[in-house]
Amino acid sequence: MSLITLDSFAAGKWVAPAGTISELKSAVTGEAIARIGSSGLDFSAMSDHARNVGGSALRALTFHDRARILKALATYLNERREPLYELSYDTGTTKSDAMIDIDGGIATLFVYASKGRRELPDDVLLTEGALEQLSRSGSFVGQHVATSLRGVAIHINAFNFPVWGMLEKLAPAFLAGVPAIIKPASSTAWVAQACFRMIVESGLLPQGSVQFIAGPTGDLLERLTAQDIVSFTGSATTAAMLRANPRIAENSVRFIAEQDSLNATILGPDAAPDTPEFDIFLREVHREITAKAGQKCTAIRRIIVPDAHKQAVIDALIARLEKTTIGDPRNEATRMGALASQAQRRDVLEKAEIIGRQARRVFGDPQNFALNNADATLGAFVPPMLFDCAEPDGADDVHSVEAFGPVSTVMGYRDLDHALALANRGEGSLVASIFTHDPKVARQAVLEAGAWHGRLYFANRDTGKEATGHGSPLPHMIHGGPGRAGGGEEMGGIRGVLHYMQRTAIQGSPDIIAGVTGRYVAGAKTSTEARHPFRLSFSELEIGHTLKTASRQITLEDIAHFANFTGDTFYAHMDEEAARANPFFPGRVAHGYLLIAFAAGLFVDPAPGPVLANSGLDGLRFMKPVSPGDSICVELTAMAKTPRNEDYGEVRWQVRIDNQDGEQVAGYELLTMNAL
C-alpha cells in the first residue's frame, strides 16, 4: 500500500511535511503506514491566525451558535466512521476498541452540543451563580460572569485515543469560543489526521478555529501568552518537561495535565464469590486488562481484594485470560490486538519486569504466547500479564510503576481501611472502582479515598447493563485526578467549558448589572405597556417588562376550601389553637400553594396567545405567612429569554407576591415557552 502523507493544517492551508521525515509503522505487521514531519511550519503565523482570525470568528458566535455547529459536526463525523475504523486497525485496535475511540469522541461532541443549548444562554457572555447583594438598600450589587479567553488552546494528545482525545478537548474549547491548535501523538497520527481532515472538509467550523500539527511542535510553546491554554495528555515525564517551559511560568499560562495513573479496583468486603458483585467484578477487571490492550489511562493497574478471596480472584481471572484470543485485530476471532508501537512494547516489557521484582507473575509469558493470524516478530504484541503481590504494604513499585499495557497486579487487604490505604498509595489516580452492595462501604470509600481520586465508580447488581464501566470517562463528569494523575481536569460538562473562559466579578448598580448580563435583576428599571406581557411574542417581549396586578383578599373560606379540595389539611391551616402554638405562625394561615395558585389567577391572561406552556418553577420561597383577611398582589417581570428552536423560546419570569403592606410573602421564577 502507498504511504499516507500526514499534512499539517496551518493558517487555513494544508502543508506537506518537510525537513526530517519519519515513517510510522503498523503495530500489527510492522509495515510503514505514513510519513510525518512538521519542520516547515510557521508556528508564529499559526498562533496569530488562531488568535486574530479564529478567536474573533468564534467570539462573534453565541454559545447556541457554537453548540449548533458542534451538533452538525458530530452528525457529519458519525456518517463517516467506517474509514476511521479501517485506519485504526493498524494502530493495533480491534473494531470494538476503535468504537471506544471514534464513537466515544463523536458522542462527546453530541453531549456538548446538547449541554450548550440547554445549559448556556444564547449569548456570548455567561452569567454564573446568583446575584450578590453588596448593600443594604440593594443599590450596589455584584455578579460573576465568564468571557472567552483571547488566546489559543494548544491540545497535545496521547497515542491511545487519536479521535476521542482530540474531540473531548476540542468540544469544550470550541463551545467556550477559543480556537485550538491540535497536536496528536505521532505513533497513531494517521487516524487523528483522517478525522481532522473530515472536520475541515465539512466546512462547518469558522476559519482559524482549528489547526493541526503533524509532527513536533517546534517553537510553538515559546509563543504562549497569558490568554493561552495548554491541555496535555501523556506521560508524567513529558508533562514535567512541558510545565518547565519558562513561558508557562512567566505568563501564568493555564496548564491542564492528564498523565500517569495507577488506577485501582477494590472488591468490597461484602462481595464474596457467591454474590453478583463478585461476577461483575471479574468481568470488569478482565475487560479493563484487555480492552485497547490495556492502553487506557483509566485501565485497572491494581486489583485490591480481600485476603480470603485473593486466590479465587486470581484463578477466575486466569481462566478468563486464557480464553482471550490475541492477534490481528481485523480477524473477527481476535479479542485483544497489539500495542501501538514497538517502542510501546519495549516500554511495557521493561515496566513489567520492574513490577516483577516485587510481585510474582501468575499469567502471561511475553516470550511464549499464541497469536491469531499474526507474527510476533513483526507486530507489537504482548500477552495479558497478571501479577500477584504477596506483600503490598512493603512493595513500592506496584504502586508507582505503570506498565501502559495489559498488565495488572492482584493484592490482598485485611479490612476496608487497609484496602483504601492501598488504593491511595497510587498518590493520585484518575479513577478507582469499588464493587459493593453496601452504601456504608461506598461512603467510607468516598471519605477516605476521594481526595486521591478524580472519579470513584461504584458497581453492583443494581447498576446493571446501563453502567458505563470503570474505564469510561463520560463528558458529563470530570476526567482528571490529583498528584500523579496530573492535577488537571477535563470535561465535566460545562465545567470543562469554563476552563477556557475568564471568570470576572462585576460590581455596580442593578441597572448596570442588568445591562451587562442581559438579565433583569431586582432593583433594575422596569417597563410597562398597555398590552399584557402574555400578549407579546418571544421576540416582542423585552427584558424588564413588568406587570403589576390588582390585589385579592385571602379569606378563611378560601383556606378551608383549598384544604378540603386538595386534601392538605395540615394543622397550621385548619386548627387555630395548634397554629398559634407554632412559633412561625400567628394563627391559621394560607397554604403556600394556595398563594401560588391565586397569584397565577392574578397575572395570567387566559386567552390563546404567544404563551404556549408553563414549563417549570424555580427557587420558590415563602418569606412571611399570610393570614385570613390579608391581601396579596403580584409583580411579574421578564428576567431572561432563551431561544429553544425556530418556533419557540423559553422566558424566565420573576414572580414577586406582596401583602397589603408591601411586604414580600413569596417569590419564585416561572418558566414559560413562548412562540417566537
Side-chain angles (χ1 to χ4, degrees), residues 66-76 109-110 113-114 117:
R66 299 171 205 151
R68 279 187 282 266
I69 292 173
L70 286 180
K71 182 177 180 180
L73 178 61
T75 302
Y76 184 89
L109 292 181
F110 274 122
S114 175
R117 290 291 302 279

Side-chain angles (χ1 to χ4, degrees), residues 160-349:
N160 53 334
F161 288 106
V163 174
W164 177 83
M166 175 171 63
L167 298 182
E168 64 94 6
K169 287 183 173 66
L170 177 61
F174 186 89
L175 193 53
V178 176
I181 297 177
I182 298 163
K183 194 280 181 213
S186 293
S187 59
T188 56
W190 65 85
V191 181
Q193 198 246 29
C195 181
F196 186 87
R197 189 175 285 275
M198 292 177 183
I199 292 174
V200 174
E201 291 172 349
S202 75
L204 293 167
L205 275 62
Q207 186 71 238
S209 57
V210 289
Q211 298 178 78
F212 185 89
I213 300 172
T217 56
D219 63 354
L220 178 63
L221 298 188
E222 304 304 317
R223 306 180 183 284
L224 290 170
T225 72
Q227 289 287 302
D228 298 329
I229 311 99
V230 177
S231 184
F232 166 79
T233 301
S235 71
T237 302
T238 304
M241 179 192 71
L242 294 173
R243 288 183 201 269
N245 186 295
R247 299 290 288 179
I248 290 178
E250 291 168 5
N251 292 321
S252 300
V253 175
R254 298 186 188 189
F255 187 89
I256 303 168
E258 186 259 286
Q259 56 192 51
D260 299 357
S261 182
L262 276 295
N263 308 300
T265 185
I266 298 174
L267 180 65
D270 58 311
D274 59 347
T275 64
E277 285 69 37
F278 189 84
D279 293 333
I280 297 168
F281 174 81
L282 292 175
R283 287 197 301 270
E284 189 71 15
V285 172
H286 175 252
R287 180 172 65 179
E288 287 301 315
I289 291 174
T290 58
K292 293 282 289 183
Q295 298 169 111
K296 294 169 61 180
C297 55
T298 53
I300 293 171
R301 307 301 180 196
R302 297 174 299 148
I303 306 167
I304 304 173
V305 302
D307 282 327
H309 306 321
K310 190 174 82 163
Q311 194 57 50
V313 168
I314 290 173
D315 293 343
L317 286 176
I318 289 175
R320 288 173 177 267
L321 293 171
E322 285 176 337
K323 298 176 183 178
T324 302
T325 303
I326 312 162
D328 181 359
R330 287 184 172 84
N331 191 293
E332 291 185 359
T334 295
R335 292 295 174 264
M336 191 181 98
L339 298 175
S341 66
Q342 289 292 348
Q344 184 62 20
R345 180 178 182 273
R346 288 190 294 272
D347 183 73
V348 167
L349 293 178

Side-chain angles (χ1 to χ4, degrees), residues 72-93:
L73 178 61
T75 302
Y76 184 89
L77 295 177
N78 201 48
E79 296 167 350
R80 293 161 175 80
R81 290 172 293 167
E82 289 299 330
L84 299 177
Y85 295 150
E86 183 61 34
L87 288 170
S88 292
Y89 288 129
D90 279 305
T91 69
T93 63

Side-chain angles (χ1 to χ4, degrees), residues 470-531:
H470 165 105
S472 298
L474 300 176
H476 317 69
M477 312 297 288
I478 62 166
H479 178 53
R484 190 191 306 278
E489 183 182 293
E490 297 177 324
M491 299 192 296
I494 300 305
R495 293 178 185 85
V497 177
L498 289 168
H499 293 320
Y500 297 90
M501 305 186 76
Q502 177 60 46
R503 182 181 289 109
T504 303
I506 59 173
Q507 299 165 290
S509 69
D511 284 336
I512 291 294
I513 302 302
V516 170
T517 63
R519 295 169 58 93
Y520 172 78
V521 299
K525 292 177 181 176
T526 59
S527 63
T528 59
E529 67 167 74
R531 287 188 296 173

Side-chain angles (χ1 to χ4, degrees), residues 124-126 145-149 176 500-504:
V124 297
L125 177 84
L126 175 61
V145 298
T147 53
S148 306
L149 289 173
Y500 297 90
M501 305 186 76
Q502 177 60 46
R503 182 181 289 109
T504 303

Side-chain angles (χ1 to χ4, degrees), residues 626-676:
V626 173
S627 302
D630 288 347
S631 296
I632 63 168
C633 62
V634 181
E635 186 173 282
L636 176 75
T637 304
M639 289 184 65
K641 302 194 304 181
T642 305
R644 290 306 181 198
N645 59 31
E646 23 182 72
D647 297 321
Y648 62 84
E650 180 184 86
V651 178
R652 181 175 290 270
W653 308 83
Q654 177 180 283
V655 182
R656 176 188 171 109
I657 305 175
D658 288 351
N659 64 16
Q660 67 278 3
D661 298 320
E663 300 169 315
Q664 186 173 5
V665 298
Y668 57 95
E669 294 178 6
L670 172 71
L671 302 176
T672 62
M673 291 300 175
N674 291 38
L676 296 183

Side-chain angles (χ1 to χ4, degrees), residues 10-91:
K13 298 179 181 179
W14 290 102
V15 181
T20 302
I21 306 297
S22 301
E23 285 190 351
L24 305 179
K25 296 184 178 181
S26 167
V28 180
T29 66
E31 297 175 328
I33 295 291
R35 301 167 64 249
I36 191 170
S38 65
S39 61
L41 295 178
D42 184 341
F43 294 106
S44 176
M46 290 182 72
S47 301
D48 290 344
H49 186 70
R51 296 186 188 105
N52 300 329
V53 178
S56 297
L58 284 173
R59 291 192 300 273
L61 302 174
T62 68
F63 291 111
H64 285 201
D65 293 332
R66 299 171 205 151
R68 279 187 282 266
I69 292 173
L70 286 180
K71 182 177 180 180
L73 178 61
T75 302
Y76 184 89
L77 295 177
N78 201 48
E79 296 167 350
R80 293 161 175 80
R81 290 172 293 167
E82 289 299 330
L84 299 177
Y85 295 150
E86 183 61 34
L87 288 170
S88 292
Y89 288 129
D90 279 305
T91 69

